[in-house]
Amino acid sequence: MDLTDFILRSNRSETVEDLTRDFLKLINSFGMERFIMGELSHDSTDQKERHLGILVNYPEEWLEHYVANHYVDYDPVYQAALTARRPYTWAEVEQKRDITDQALQVMREAKECKLYSGIGLSIHQPMGGIIGMGFAGSEKDARCDKDAVSIIHAAANQFFTVFSELQGYGAEDDNIHLTRREREVLLWLARGKSKSEIGDLLQVSESAIKRHCEMIFQKLDANSVTFAVTKALRMGLVKPF
């Protein structure tokens, strides 16, 4: 299956299973049968691990080992996806001068689980959201040349577009309802004000602001002011300027 065939077939997909099956056919033609797609726009290690795989067919034993050792904090492929503006190969990541011994260990152990040469890429969403996708072959002859990388990059963007339509991805944002006061508190937090300062501005006690923050954290599934503000901005819940 070539890129044009995939685009035409994906536009007619009725289920995520149909879409994924055709996507796998395409990447298999480049010697890659493993892929993972996850949300990268998270703060803590726990949050990163919980959103690691929206879709994934990596070996289960590798994923269990990866999470148990919190490799998300050291994985150079994951770290590259946070700032990448173009797709990249695993070889490029491993050849970076500043790569750490921990990062190299992650790559070595991935190969021991038959995850050899691969490709990583990012799909940037509105307000700073990032979807990361990774592809790997269980054989050493997977294609990672410039043409292969470009085709997989284009196909990945098409895959995510159709996946989002079929799955209603992002619709959960519509179910988050903040009160007028919670939005006010978030707005001032986004502008860099402390809880005490916000209390003075809104003419309520600091303890009242702390209670509002607790409700905001709960609704946004956040564990810090920084993460709550980042997530609220990404979702368009507040506009500080």
Side-chain angles (χ1 to χ4, degrees):
M1 179 179 294
D2 63 20
L3 178 60
T4 301
D5 289 335
F6 172 68
I7 291 173
L8 294 175
R9 289 181 63 88
S10 64
N11 282 336
R12 292 160 180 75
S13 296
E14 295 183 354
T15 67
V16 171
E17 290 73 23
D18 290 341
L19 174 67
T20 303
R21 183 174 58 250
D22 287 336
F23 189 49
L24 284 169
K25 287 180 182 178
L26 176 67
I27 66 172
N28 283 348
S29 67
F30 295 95
M32 298 187 191
E33 70 278 13
R34 301 290 190 181
F35 87 100
I36 186 169
M37 179 175 75
E39 293 180 350
L40 308 188
S41 314
H42 296 285
D43 189 28
S44 67
T45 298
D46 177 66
Q47 289 278 351
K48 292 173 184 176
E49 290 173 347
R50 281 199 282 139
H51 294 86
L52 187 62
I54 301 172
L55 281 179
V56 58
N57 74 341
Y58 271 33
E60 187 174 341
E61 63 272 19
W62 168 245
L63 290 173
E64 291 177 352
H65 180 70
Y66 187 97
V67 171
N69 289 278
H70 306 303
Y71 280 170
V72 70
D73 290 329
Y74 314 112
D75 182 358
V77 176
Y78 185 103
Q79 299 302 319
L82 296 174
T83 57
R85 294 295 176 180
R86 64 173 183 82
Y88 51 89
T89 66
W90 288 10
E92 289 176 309
V93 170
E94 289 181 281
Q95 289 165 7
K96 287 186 175 181
R97 292 182 181 179
D98 59 349
I99 191 167
T100 65
D101 290 340
Q102 288 173 311
L104 288 172
Q105 179 182 343
V106 175
M107 301 303 290
R108 283 196 300 270
E109 292 185 7
K111 291 180 176 64
E112 291 172 4
C113 283
K114 296 187 176 180
L115 293 171
Y116 295 109
S117 53
I119 295 170
L121 58 89
S122 303
I123 300 174
H124 293 268
Q125 299 293 288
M127 306 303 291
I130 302 174
I131 297 296
M133 296 186 74
F135 308 87
S138 60
E139 302 294 336
K140 297 181 180 180
D141 58 352
R143 280 185 59 189
C144 291
D145 56 90
K146 189 172 183 178
D147 291 339
V149 171
S150 294
I151 291 171
I152 290 175
H153 186 209
N157 277 272
Q158 171 69 7
F159 174 88
F160 182 69
T161 296
V162 179
F163 170 85
S164 298
E165 294 172 351
L166 291 172
Q167 197 76 353
Y169 179 78
E172 66 274 11
D173 295 356
D174 298 332
N175 296 323
I176 296 177
H177 300 291
L178 299 175
T179 66
R180 180 182 62 81
R181 182 63 86 187
E182 289 166 353
R183 288 178 184 274
E184 286 179 321
V185 171
L186 259 176
L187 176 63
W188 287 114
L189 287 171
R191 289 177 175 174
K193 298 295 184 181
S194 68
K195 295 183 181 71
S196 176
E197 290 172 326
I198 296 171
D200 291 339
L201 287 165
L202 300 182
Q203 297 184 323
V204 298
S205 67
E206 183 177 352
S207 60
I209 299 301
K210 289 180 179 179
R211 287 195 296 273
H212 286 307
C213 286
E214 290 171 0
M215 287 303 300
I216 290 168
F217 290 175
Q218 182 179 332
K219 291 180 178 181
L220 293 179
D221 191 22
N223 57 8
S224 70
V225 169
T226 300
F227 185 33
V229 169
T230 300
K231 193 167 184 179
L233 289 171
R234 178 172 61 83
M235 294 166 62
L237 295 174
V238 293
K239 297 179 181 179
F241 305 108

